Amino acid sequence: MGPFLFFDHFGPVTITPAANHDVRPHPHIGLATVTYLFEGVILHRDNLGYTQRIEPGAINWMTAGSGIVHSERKPEAERDSSYVNHGLQLWLALPEAAQEQPATFTHTPADAIPELRDGDARVRVLVGQALGAQSPVVTLSPTLYLDVHLPAGGQWTLPMLAEEQAVYGVQGEVRIDGQPLAPHTMAVLTAATVLTAGPDGARLVVIGGQPLGRRLIWWNFVSTSKERIEQAAQAWTHGDASLGMGQVPGETERIPLPLRPSTP
């Protein structure tokens, strides 16, 4: 959908002191990740040296490019606490010419994200431009990402804001032009639509943008080339820091390369 090629809606899940939901260090190439929390907290660390608490409302954008390694863990301050984690992590393809650019990480705090009212809707423009507002998040291609709240029975006319566009219901009942959208389902849109919330209100996201063409995905690697994915797999196996597969400072764990058939 536009540049988006992976959509992970996680939670809501209660994290207890005994629970271990930590994601050990693992690599990426050829993509960007954007992490957004509705509730909770995650600690990001990477081999570029960034350590960042990811908290609700903020946008955390990691461009893997030629290679990056990161972990996602419970912060030390929350080790003895119980709390709910709920959010989205989406992956985006990079323009082909930018697939091998150096890796970067950028944190945009919640109070820097523009928020506006449009009819019954409260809209946060997480990425891109919409309804007269521009997100400060820098992208490599035209990208749209909105967080939308509708009150009980509220309606909102969603125009086509991108070349490709879709809506996903996060919480509550949503109807699209009078037709129910099944929970946790993405609807691809081709024209302006009227969104209506159920009796408890609704939260949804809108994603889209300019499509970037065919991509190959294996494990955490994205590329236009099978050979490049194989090179990244070998680099991770051997911990080749020259190809972006070095260790996260202060971390000793790592997720090993998954087992593969003998013929890729």
Side-chain angles (χ1 to χ4, degrees):
M1 180 51 53
F4 293 94
L5 44 72
F6 176 91
F7 189 104
D8 178 24
H9 178 190
F10 55 90
V13 60
T14 299
I15 309 296
T16 65
N20 182 6
H21 293 275
D22 284 4
V23 181
R24 295 167 292 158
H26 59 281
H28 294 282
I29 66 164
L31 56 78
T33 68
V34 56
T35 305
Y36 183 69
L37 289 181
F38 304 120
E39 296 180 82
V41 61
I42 295 172
L43 184 69
H44 163 96
R45 303 178 74 192
D46 62 46
N47 65 334
L48 302 179
Y50 288 99
T51 298
Q52 178 64 54
R53 281 177 64 95
I54 301 176
E55 297 179 325
I59 285 288
N60 290 266
W61 185 288
M62 184 182 76
T63 300
S66 59
I68 196 168
V69 179
H70 74 135
S71 64
E72 296 154 296
R73 297 185 181 275
K74 178 189 293 186
E76 193 60 37
E78 280 72 27
R79 285 285 167 187
D80 297 324
S81 303
S82 294
Y83 57 94
V84 173
N85 257 359
H86 183 204
L88 299 171
Q89 187 176 94
L90 313 185
W91 295 1
L92 302 92
L94 303 179
E96 191 166 355
Q99 287 185 112
E100 297 300 326
Q101 74 167 45
T104 60
F105 177 82
T106 305
H107 170 77
T108 304
D111 60 9
I113 300 295
E115 184 173 312
L116 55 92
R117 289 277 184 177
D118 187 51
D120 290 340
R122 187 171 88 244
V123 182
R124 303 190 80 229
V125 182
L126 306 182
V127 180
Q129 182 176 349
L131 310 170
Q134 174 72 56
S135 168
V137 177
V138 177
T139 67
L140 295 174
S141 66
T143 305
L144 177 70
Y145 189 9
L146 310 178
D147 177 10
V148 182
H149 286 259
L150 285 172
Q155 286 194 337
W156 180 47
T157 299
L158 170 61
M160 284 297 292
L161 299 170
E163 184 176 345
E164 293 185 347
Q165 184 168 295
V167 61
Y168 174 86
V170 175
Q171 290 176 311
E173 298 175 17
V174 180
R175 288 181 174 269
I176 301 178
D177 291 337
Q179 300 298 312
L181 176 65
H184 306 149
T185 300
M186 183 175 292
V188 177
L189 308 178
T190 57
T193 55
V194 176
L195 304 178
T196 306
D200 297 321
R203 188 170 198 171
L204 53 96
V205 294
V206 179
I207 65 168
Q210 179 186 34
L212 294 179
R214 179 175 179 265
R215 291 294 186 276
L216 305 171
I217 303 178
W218 184 77
W219 194 38
N220 301 316
F221 304 136
V222 172
S223 180
T224 53
S225 163
K226 289 183 179 180
E227 291 74 21
R228 180 67 182 92
I229 289 175
E230 179 60 27
Q231 181 190 45
Q234 294 301 318
W236 178 241
T237 297
H238 299 293
D240 190 341
S242 68
L243 292 175
M245 300 299 167
Q247 191 64 30
V248 175
E251 302 243 17
T252 58
E253 295 182 300
R254 68 201 310 264
I255 297 178
L257 196 75
L259 295 176
R260 298 182 292 167
S262 58
T263 303

